[in-house]
Amino acid sequence: WTLNSKCVLTISGTGAIKSAPWKSDYQKVIKKVAIEDGVTSICSDAFRDCSSITEAVMADSIESIGYGAFWGTKLCGDLVLPKNLKQISSYAFYYREFEKVYIPRGLETLQSSAFGEAKVKAVYVEDLASWVNLNTSPSGLVFSELYVNGELVKDLVIPEGTERIYGYSFDRIKTIETVTIPDSVTELGAYNFNKCTNLREVRLSENITAIRSYLFGGCTSLKELTLPAKVTVINSNALNGSGIEIIRFMGNAPLIANDGFAGVTTTAY
């Protein structure tokens, strides 16, 4: 590694970054990080509390970013993640502020609070199918606008052939107005559309069997919901704080948790 007169830290070589020797003398000095091709992973706390860092350029060879790697930096603006990135560990970008975050197609895991307490306006993905298959966790990444191939998503159509949508995939996105979920989907994770406050129309898969916790919690613009005949259970707080006034059961009434309709006054048919 080298640090030049402009306080740019350049890291080169092959394999994993296993330690952070630059922190002992230059922790408060480094302003930019440039990680060159050949580096495959960033260790935990690699740049933690390097409080002058405002920019990081990461080579596409990087496959994982460790726990708290950029916690305590001042990264901001647009964050372009490496194309071969597979995992972002907890607190990697904790408490940062980004205008745009570009998610690579192959990302597999966003651990709990990977972007915890971060303020992110927009997320850009190349492929919606890979996004819904991403294993996300609470506060993994919360944002207001979703773009797919550069287009702002208002009418969300899940691709045919999708079987499962992990929880939190669309949590708190403000731009989504309608959702269409194909019949290939058999499982919808918790919090998927939580606090999507402009969501007003939903077409659910005929093959889901459960309405998970906070699936439509806080969806204040959603007034009606039709549940497919195969739905047998509604979990706690599934509709908490939503605007649902009418709910239709296409089959037998499902088993409803005591607080399944918490915060909602609705008529069921």
Side-chain angles (χ1 to χ4, degrees), residues 16-37:
I17 297 174
K18 297 180 179 179
S19 62
W22 46 82
K23 291 173 67 175
S24 58
D25 293 321
Y26 304 108
Q27 186 171 28
K28 306 299 182 183
V29 175
I30 302 165
K31 294 181 179 179
K32 177 180 176 179
V33 174
I35 304 175
E36 296 185 344
D37 188 54

Side-chain angles (χ1 to χ4, degrees), residues 116-181:
E117 303 296 330
K119 295 180 180 179
V120 178
K121 180 180 179 182
V123 162
Y124 286 70
V125 301
E126 301 173 11
D127 177 46
L128 189 58
S130 61
W131 174 254
V132 299
N133 284 313
L134 177 62
N135 187 3
T136 58
S137 302
S139 300
L141 179 56
V142 176
F143 55 98
S144 298
E145 301 173 1
L146 176 66
Y147 290 79
V148 177
N149 291 320
E151 297 290 330
L152 179 65
V153 175
K154 292 186 177 181
D155 300 310
L156 176 65
V157 180
I158 302 300
E160 289 283 351
T162 301
E163 296 180 357
R164 176 182 183 182
I165 303 176
Y166 277 95
Y168 300 89
S169 293
F170 306 100
D171 182 22
R172 287 179 260 188
I173 299 178
K174 305 304 181 187
T175 55
I176 295 175
E177 298 178 358
T178 68
V179 171
T180 301
I181 300 174

Side-chain angles (χ1 to χ4, degrees), residues 239-255:
L239 311 177
N240 190 325
S242 72
I244 295 174
E245 298 171 354
I246 298 174
I247 186 166
R248 296 182 175 87
F249 302 129
M250 301 309 292
N252 296 326
L255 177 65

Side-chain angles (χ1 to χ4, degrees), residues 189-209:
Y191 286 81
N192 249 311
F193 302 101
N194 178 55
K195 296 184 179 178
C196 291
T197 52
N198 289 307
L199 178 61
R200 53 182 172 76
E201 184 179 330
V202 175
R203 189 275 182 191
L204 292 170
S205 163
E206 294 293 332
N207 291 307
I208 61 169
T209 59

